[in-house]
Amino acid sequence: MSRNIVICHSSKNKTGLKEISDYLTSKCTFNISILNENEPLDLSFRAQLIAECDTFVVLSNASFKSSIDCMECLHFAKDLRKDIICINTNMSFRPYGALGAICYSTRSGLVQLENASDGESLEKIYKLIVATEVKRDEMKSQTTDRIQSASK
């Protein structure tokens, strides 16, 4: 089964982007879309990518926080109740305000990416994505069971 992953980052700071994308692609069948404040330019296409994604990954740093477009994508993913994984790519930055509230309220919390070339960190991110997929599938199954039992 193919999973749709959106990775949202600021174009001013691409720390870890290539490593994470390559690692996820090598581990499993992921359809990975990359969003930033410049790409894609078509807002309806951005909205469609977010609406169709299974997991929304944020590469959090000060540049992301200051980008209105990046924050807008994050808020849209939150409003659609997407599984969000926040990865902090700058150890001297601590998310605050809306970014901090969203990052710290996710099931996985804030994940620190100390070294993008570290296989251990990349494996942790992969496991978080897989865990959110399993949890979502369990919740869908429970909801379906409840609906079926209520209709009897």
Side-chain angles (χ1 to χ4, degrees):
M1 180 176 167
S2 181
R3 298 178 178 136
N4 295 319
I5 309 292
V6 168
I7 301 176
C8 190
H9 71 97
S10 167
S11 64
K12 294 176 185 170
N13 190 335
K14 297 181 182 183
T15 304
L17 175 64
K18 181 172 177 14
E19 292 85 352
I20 293 169
S21 179
D22 289 349
Y23 190 80
L24 293 177
T25 303
S26 73
K27 289 291 279 187
C28 198
T29 309
F30 289 119
N31 295 323
I32 298 177
S33 301
I34 309 293
L35 298 181
N36 62 41
E37 63 274 20
N38 301 321
E39 294 176 21
L41 288 175
D42 182 3
L43 293 179
S44 62
F45 186 62
R46 279 184 204 213
Q48 181 182 354
L49 287 174
I50 296 169
E52 293 175 356
C53 80
D54 298 308
T55 304
F56 188 84
V57 178
V58 175
L59 300 185
S60 167
N61 53 50
S63 299
F64 186 96
K65 170 90 174 90
S66 64
S67 169
I68 293 169
D69 293 322
C70 290
M71 289 299 296
E72 187 176 78
C73 289
L74 176 59
H75 282 287
F76 186 56
K78 179 188 72 74
D79 291 345
L80 293 177
R81 297 178 182 248
K82 296 296 179 180
D83 289 319
I84 298 173
I85 297 176
C86 293
I87 302 168
N88 193 20
T89 61
N90 182 344
M91 296 306 103
S92 63
F93 175 73
R94 295 291 177 257
Y96 61 94
L99 176 61
I102 294 169
C103 286
Y104 290 114
S105 68
T106 63
R107 275 186 241 158
S108 59
L110 183 68
V111 179
Q112 299 290 343
L113 182 66
E114 295 179 29
N115 181 357
S117 61
D118 175 25
E120 201 171 302
S121 297
L122 296 172
E123 183 66 18
K124 181 179 180 181
I125 293 164
Y126 168 74
K127 286 180 178 178
L128 282 171
I129 291 172
V130 171
T132 60
E133 297 294 323
V134 169
K135 184 71 173 170
R136 186 179 339 93
D137 290 344
E138 287 174 3
M139 290 171 62
K140 282 181 183 176
S141 175
Q142 290 172 358
T143 302
T144 303
D145 292 345
R146 285 185 199 140
I147 291 170
Q148 289 174 349
S149 66
S151 65
K152 290 181 182 177

